[in-house]
């Protein structure tokens, strides 16, 4: 008996595999309960980007309805936690926390957060909790293929790229300026030092993502040991950290930020967590370009210029950047190794005897641990 003919054997579809028409019907019924619509809202153009599943799943859709004889609606994005069968990057996805962080940032700063509409905690509607926000038009520096190879940012002038880098750093500084973040976001707070909680969470993430299944990565464990040896004597004040701070998570109108996205890695911690991440992620892409004998963008998001811009706009002097750059490289190493595990799980890649090869930036991380890495 085939899987197609026996309903008891048929695999339930994940959100990223579902028919867009079925998603549109579910969203239409849900919107009627969430609005004062007269009749059933019309949902159209429902689509799921191909890269959904590794992180939160996105569903784009348009919707219109009538209220008091007036037409309402627009273009929307629903953000859902990925299905566990999609082999996601993180063990849990707290959509309610993301929603409340975005709302809190919007209330306390001028950071352009996408307009939030609704939070749905009933997972039966679409198979997972989700929230809906207005869709913001614009352009985003691409990750695949990376913007260091081609595209609008690659084709921009050095002055335009410098402007975009400065706007990105200003966004980071504005997020860090959220007042009293521990009280405003108690779900992110906890006992002890925030940096310690941050690193301990990542060690637990590594254990869940890799080590628990027997996929130990020596260079990742070496990096954790390095952090302990070089722990800052004074990590500095805690701020709200964006988490995945980089231009690829900003929608730009020209070269001005129009919307700041992806808050699933938000946490309390030293401001250098974000500052090192934005520098490291570009270096990661730039090294890929160099590996393929391409020029890349060596003038973009350089360490010294990025730190200088941050210090100028925030009034705070960056500290312990060597520590935080290694930490950024370690965090990204877990991401890369988890993606490799995902590819093995779905038969898209073959294993290697040297597990350090799971980390694409292995050579860079080794040079950082050895103290031989040159940034500028």
């Amino acid at each position: 008996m085939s899987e197609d003919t026996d309903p008891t054997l048929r695999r339930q579809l994940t959100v990223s595999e579902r028919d867009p028409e079925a998603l549109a019907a579910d969203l239409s019924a849900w919107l009627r309960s969430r609005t004062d619509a007269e009749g059933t809202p019309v949902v159209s153009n429902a689509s799921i980007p191909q890269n959904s599943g590794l992180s939160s799943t996105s569903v784009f859709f348009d919707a219109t309805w009538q209220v008091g004889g007036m037409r309402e609606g627009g273009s929307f994005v629903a953000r859902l936690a990925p299905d566990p069968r999609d082999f996601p990057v993180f063990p849990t996805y707290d959509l309610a926390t993301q929603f409340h962080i975005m709302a809190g940032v919007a209330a306390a700063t001028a950071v352009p957060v996408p307009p939030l509409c609704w939070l749905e905690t009933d997972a039966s509607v679409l198979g997972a909790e989700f929230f809906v926000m207005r869709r913001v038009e614009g352009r985003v520096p691409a990750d695949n293929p990376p913007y260091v190879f081609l595209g609008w940012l690659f084709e921009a002038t050095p002055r335009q790229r410098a402007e975009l880098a400065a706007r990105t750093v200003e966004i980071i500084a504005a997020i860090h300026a959220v007042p009293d973040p521990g009280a405003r976001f108690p779900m992110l707070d906890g006992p002890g030092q925030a940096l310690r909680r941050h690193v301990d969470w990542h060690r637990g993430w590594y254990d869940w993502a890799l080590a628990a299944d027997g996929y130990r990565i020596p260079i990742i464990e070496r990096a954790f040991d390095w952090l302990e040896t070089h722990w800052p004597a004074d990590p500095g004040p805690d701020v709200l950290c964006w988490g995945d701070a980089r231009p690829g998570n900003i929608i730009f109108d020209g070269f001005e930020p129009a919307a700041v996205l992806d808050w699933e890695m938000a946490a309390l911690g030293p401001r250098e967590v974000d500052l090192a991440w934005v520098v490291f992620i570009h270096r990661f892409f730039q090294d890929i370009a160099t590996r393929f004998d391409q020029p890349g963008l060596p003038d973009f998001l350089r360490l010294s210029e990025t730190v200088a811009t941050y210090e100028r706009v925030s009034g705070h002097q960056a500290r312990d950047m060597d520590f935080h750059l290694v930490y950024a490289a370690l965090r990204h190493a877990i991401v890369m190794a988890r993606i490799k595990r995902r590819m093995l799980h779905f038969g898209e890649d073959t294993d290697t005897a040297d597990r350090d090869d799971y980390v694409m930036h292995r050579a860079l991380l080794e040079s950082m641990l050895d103290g031989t890495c040159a940034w500028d």
Side-chain angles (χ1 to χ4, degrees):
M1 186 177 293
S2 73
E3 187 177 79
D4 292 332
T5 58
D6 184 358
T8 65
L9 297 178
R10 188 177 298 122
R11 179 178 180 271
Q12 181 182 352
L13 294 178
T14 65
V15 170
S16 59
E17 296 172 324
R18 285 170 58 185
D19 180 0
E21 291 186 5
L23 280 172
D26 290 341
L27 286 166
S28 177
W30 174 78
L31 278 171
R32 186 172 187 179
S33 70
R34 280 300 191 123
T35 66
D36 296 324
E38 299 161 357
T40 301
V42 176
V43 174
S44 59
N45 301 321
S47 63
I48 304 99
Q50 290 184 345
N51 62 351
S52 284
L54 284 179
S55 185
S56 299
T57 300
S58 295
V59 178
F60 297 158
F61 65 97
D62 296 331
T64 57
W65 59 88
Q66 296 282 331
V67 176
M70 301 294 292
R71 180 176 176 178
E72 296 186 4
S75 294
F76 302 91
V77 180
R79 293 280 281 178
L80 303 86
D83 191 283
R85 290 164 296 177
D86 285 335
F87 214 86
V89 171
F90 300 110
T92 59
Y93 289 78
D94 190 339
L95 275 295
T97 290
Q98 290 182 47
F99 184 91
H100 292 308
I101 289 172
M102 294 172 69
V105 170
T109 72
V111 173
V113 175
L116 296 169
C117 300
W118 306 281
L119 170 66
E120 180 54 72
T121 58
D122 182 355
S124 68
V125 176
L126 295 180
E129 294 184 0
F130 65 95
F131 64 84
V132 176
M133 52 192 171
R134 295 277 178 177
R135 187 170 180 178
V136 178
E137 298 299 328
R139 54 188 186 177
V140 177
D143 287 348
N144 188 20
Y147 59 82
V148 294
F149 287 98
L150 75 170
W152 63 273
L153 185 57
F154 181 80
E155 295 167 0
T157 66
R159 182 173 181 176
Q160 289 171 325
R161 284 194 295 271
E163 176 186 345
L164 185 142
R167 299 294 87 76
T168 300
V169 174
E170 289 168 3
I171 288 289
I172 294 171
I175 294 169
H176 293 173
V178 170
D180 202 3
R184 190 177 295 269
F185 306 110
M187 62 288 218
L188 300 180
D189 208 354
Q193 186 185 82
L195 179 60
R196 170 53 65 190
R197 295 198 309 272
H198 205 277
V199 172
D200 286 350
W201 185 93
H202 282 79
R203 189 182 292 273
W205 174 32
Y206 164 71
D207 289 339
W208 168 85
L210 297 149
D213 292 335
Y215 288 82
R216 307 199 75 90
I217 314 297
I219 196 168
I220 290 178
E221 298 183 0
R222 181 184 166 198
F224 273 120
D225 291 341
W226 187 99
L227 292 182
E228 296 300 327
T229 302
H230 297 82
W231 198 269
D234 178 11
D238 294 331
V239 299
L240 175 65
C241 294
W242 178 7
D244 199 0
R246 57 194 180 93
N249 282 331
I250 300 175
I251 298 174
F252 289 92
D253 179 4
F255 292 88
E256 292 295 323
V260 179
L261 311 174
D262 289 353
W263 295 82
E264 60 205 5
M265 293 168 64
L268 301 182
R271 59 189 71 242
E272 291 80 10
V273 169
D274 279 343
L275 193 56
W277 184 259
V278 70
V279 171
F280 170 78
I281 292 297
H282 173 68
R283 173 65 181 266
F284 170 75
F285 286 140
Q286 179 62 28
D287 282 358
I288 295 174
T290 301
R291 193 178 312 150
F292 286 94
D293 296 321
Q294 297 298 309
L297 298 175
D299 63 334
F300 187 60
L301 285 172
R302 292 167 61 88
L303 175 60
S304 59
E305 294 171 359
T306 302
V307 168
T309 301
Y310 182 85
E311 292 178 346
R312 175 177 55 81
V313 300
S314 71
H316 292 272
Q317 183 174 2
R319 61 177 82 184
D320 302 306
M321 285 301 294
D322 287 344
F323 175 93
H324 286 284
L325 287 165
V326 169
Y327 186 31
L330 165 59
R331 293 164 62 204
H332 196 58
I334 301 173
V335 173
M336 291 291 96
R338 177 65 176 176
I339 290 173
K340 173 74 172 181
R341 279 281 291 113
R342 185 181 192 272
M343 295 173 71
L344 293 174
H345 175 80
F346 288 114
E348 300 168 347
D349 202 351
T350 56
D351 206 351
T352 173
D354 189 347
R355 290 277 167 77
D356 283 351
D357 285 340
Y358 281 30
V359 179
M360 285 184 63
H361 56 285
R362 170 184 181 170
L364 174 59
L365 180 52
E366 287 175 338
S367 71
M368 295 170 72
L369 297 176
D370 294 341
T372 58
C373 178
W375 285 94
D376 286 345

